[in-house]
Amino acid sequence: MAKTHVTMKVNGAEVEGLVEPRTLLVHFIRDNLSLTGTHIGCDTSHCGACTVDLDGKSVKSCTVFAVQANGADIRTIEGMAAPDGTLHALQEGFREMHGLQCGFCTPGMILRAHRLLQENPSPSEEEIRMGISGNFCRCTGYQNIVKAIQYAAAKINGVEFREAAE
Ligand code: FES
Ligand code: FES
């Protein structure tokens, strides 16, 4: 099948590749770029494990063809920590609040939460739950994921994180 040349910016670096028209963005990211932190958890566009940031929006990268992302600016989980390895506030929050168990959903959760906090820096618990409603976790029961995002929001806003009484 004829291949198309695509270029895009991924985690700040210009990348390129040859893709078939049917190649999904998630496969381009994982197979061509070897960025395997973006996961594939379903074949029905439901789970959100493949979520990345694309031109300032959360997208499920299994629902986008690589050719559609030509010229886009993309961020994946590999681009969340600082160049010196310092964890992003969300990564720290998931670690501190035990927001993961198996970790399979975590990259997608973090990328989705990242965009959520860009759009709404101080979300309520309900807004967080609504914001991550397209991302499934089979392990945690979500409670600690919500706390992890609250922890990150507090850190980004420079305020002390206080866990709500249960
Ligand atoms: S792999 Fe499940 S939504 Fe993309
Ligand atoms: S931590 Fe296992 S699926 Fe979320």
Side-chain angles (χ1 to χ4, degrees):
M1 192 176 292
K3 293 194 172 182
T4 302
H5 182 248
V6 293
T7 61
M8 56 193 86
K9 191 185 278 188
V10 177
N11 300 329
E14 296 291 344
V15 300
E16 61 180 336
L18 289 173
V19 296
E20 293 182 7
R22 65 181 177 175
T23 302
L24 298 173
L25 178 59
V26 68
H27 290 138
F28 180 73
I29 290 170
R30 288 177 54 84
D31 300 339
N32 291 58
L33 305 182
S34 300
L35 296 174
T36 54
T38 301
H39 291 161
I40 300 171
C42 71
D43 56 11
T44 54
S45 306
H46 278 86
C47 76
C50 62
T51 302
V52 299
D53 207 69
L54 188 154
D55 288 340
K57 290 197 174 73
S58 296
V59 302
K60 292 178 175 177
S61 58
C62 71
T63 66
V64 178
F65 290 116
V67 291
Q68 291 177 294
N70 193 22
D73 190 352
I74 292 170
R75 195 167 188 185
T76 71
I77 190 66
E78 289 86 352
M80 291 301 287
D84 68 358
T86 304
L87 294 182
H88 186 276
L90 277 161
Q91 294 172 305
E92 185 181 310
F94 273 70
R95 184 182 65 186
E96 295 299 317
M97 294 295 111
H98 308 288
L100 66 148
Q101 289 180 24
C102 80
F104 196 85
C105 70
T106 311
M109 283 287 183
I110 286 179
L111 266 296
R112 174 61 202 126
H114 169 62
R115 184 49 47 194
L116 172 66
L117 295 184
Q118 295 283 312
E119 293 168 350
N120 180 0
S122 301
S124 66
E125 177 175 344
E126 191 179 352
E127 287 169 334
I128 291 173
R129 288 182 182 276
M130 182 63 71
I132 61 169
S133 59
N135 292 67
F136 293 172
C137 176
R138 298 300 294 268
C139 303
T140 65
Y142 299 96
Q143 192 62 33
N144 287 355
I145 291 177
V146 172
K147 283 186 198 169
I149 297 170
Q150 290 171 326
Y151 175 105
K155 178 158 188 182
I156 292 167
N157 293 327
V159 299
E160 189 182 347
F161 172 63
R162 288 176 196 272
E163 281 190 52
E166 290 182 11

